[in-house]
Amino acid sequence: MPEITLDTVKECLRIDSFDHIESHLRMAPLPRGMSPDPNGTPPREAGVLALLVSEVDGLHVVLTRRQAHLRGHSGQISFPGGKRDPEDESFTDTALRETQEELGIMPDDVRVLGQLSAVYIPPSNFNVYPTVGYLPTTPYFRPNPDEVAEVFTLPLNDLIDEHLKQYEYRDFQGVRVKIPYYLVHGHKVWGATAVMLSELEHRLHLMLG
């Protein structure tokens, strides 16, 4: 497999004729809603940051484990990010602000590479807008103990490895749901984070052939 470079990532984010829905469905819990109910409550909006860092073995993407006491998606693996504030000029601004609050990374230090497609989260009724950013070295993370229980990284070379993907079944309100996930350092990365990673994975596959 060719090396995944920063140029590879930048080019894969520029692909126009990409079927993001298909890539999302590959790692989405099924059955699930993929878009908001047009007759329901309008979804809230959030921005998250898929932060890439350079390690000796290549590019890694940063993931966090949410604290167990948090009200929404407690204990789950996620990208840093959160709800958009009125003063945020863009979803990228939201993602960078939240990353600073959660991990102590200064927004001006992050090089923005592009965006992935928005993902709808049915249980919390959120549209989440992912930004992809880059730091040339792995920073000293200062996780906010109120929000972040753990910080770890996933090599992009592992992201495109099929062996990382598994699935299980869970019952939600009497419905049996298939849950695909990436197994990363013993953590099951599923839900919206897995859906966003799936888009990045399949964009990279298109570039690498």
Side-chain angles (χ1 to χ4, degrees), residues 14-209:
R14 296 191 186 108
I15 299 173
D16 291 328
S17 57
F18 180 80
D19 189 348
H20 71 274
I21 295 176
E22 180 184 357
S23 71
H24 287 184
L25 284 171
R26 292 190 182 192
M27 292 301 290
L30 297 175
R32 83 188 289 273
M34 297 299 292
S35 59
D37 181 353
N39 299 315
T41 303
R44 295 172 289 175
E45 296 177 322
V48 299
L49 182 66
L51 179 61
L52 305 181
V53 295
S54 290
E55 297 277 9
V56 293
D57 59 344
L59 292 171
H60 289 218
V61 61
V62 176
L63 296 167
T64 67
R65 179 167 59 86
R66 293 170 59 82
Q67 288 285 13
H69 66 261
L70 294 175
R71 184 176 60 180
H73 308 286
S74 61
Q76 292 185 15
I77 307 303
S78 65
F79 293 124
K83 185 179 179 181
R84 185 178 186 180
D85 283 350
E87 61 269 23
D88 294 334
E89 294 185 1
S90 67
F91 293 110
T92 294
D93 288 338
T94 300
L96 294 173
R97 173 182 55 76
E98 288 282 342
T99 299
Q100 180 181 4
E101 293 175 6
E102 293 181 24
L103 299 180
I105 306 299
M106 300 303 294
D108 289 344
D109 292 339
V110 178
R111 177 180 172 186
V112 175
L113 303 180
Q115 285 77 35
L116 297 170
S117 306
V119 173
Y120 176 63
I121 306 178
S124 54
N125 194 32
F126 261 100
N127 277 327
V128 179
Y129 296 82
T131 293
V132 181
Y134 170 72
L135 288 174
T137 58
T138 301
Y140 176 73
F141 295 112
R142 297 185 298 277
N144 181 338
D146 291 332
E147 299 184 52
V148 179
E150 182 182 355
V151 184
F152 58 96
T153 66
L154 165 63
L156 293 189
N157 285 325
D158 288 351
L159 176 63
I160 61 175
D161 186 342
E162 288 295 318
H163 294 92
L164 203 68
K165 290 186 280 191
Q166 302 183 29
Y167 68 90
E168 63 187 15
Y169 287 92
R170 302 183 194 176
D171 290 326
F172 290 98
Q173 298 179 339
V175 177
R176 188 165 174 79
V177 179
K178 181 180 179 180
I179 307 289
Y181 61 88
Y182 295 95
L183 186 61
V184 184
H185 302 306
H187 297 297
K188 296 176 180 179
V189 184
W190 66 286
T193 305
V195 168
M196 290 181 272
L197 282 173
S198 182
E199 179 175 341
L200 180 58
E201 174 199 348
H202 289 93
R203 284 180 175 273
L204 288 170
H205 274 303
L206 279 180
M207 292 300 304
L208 298 172

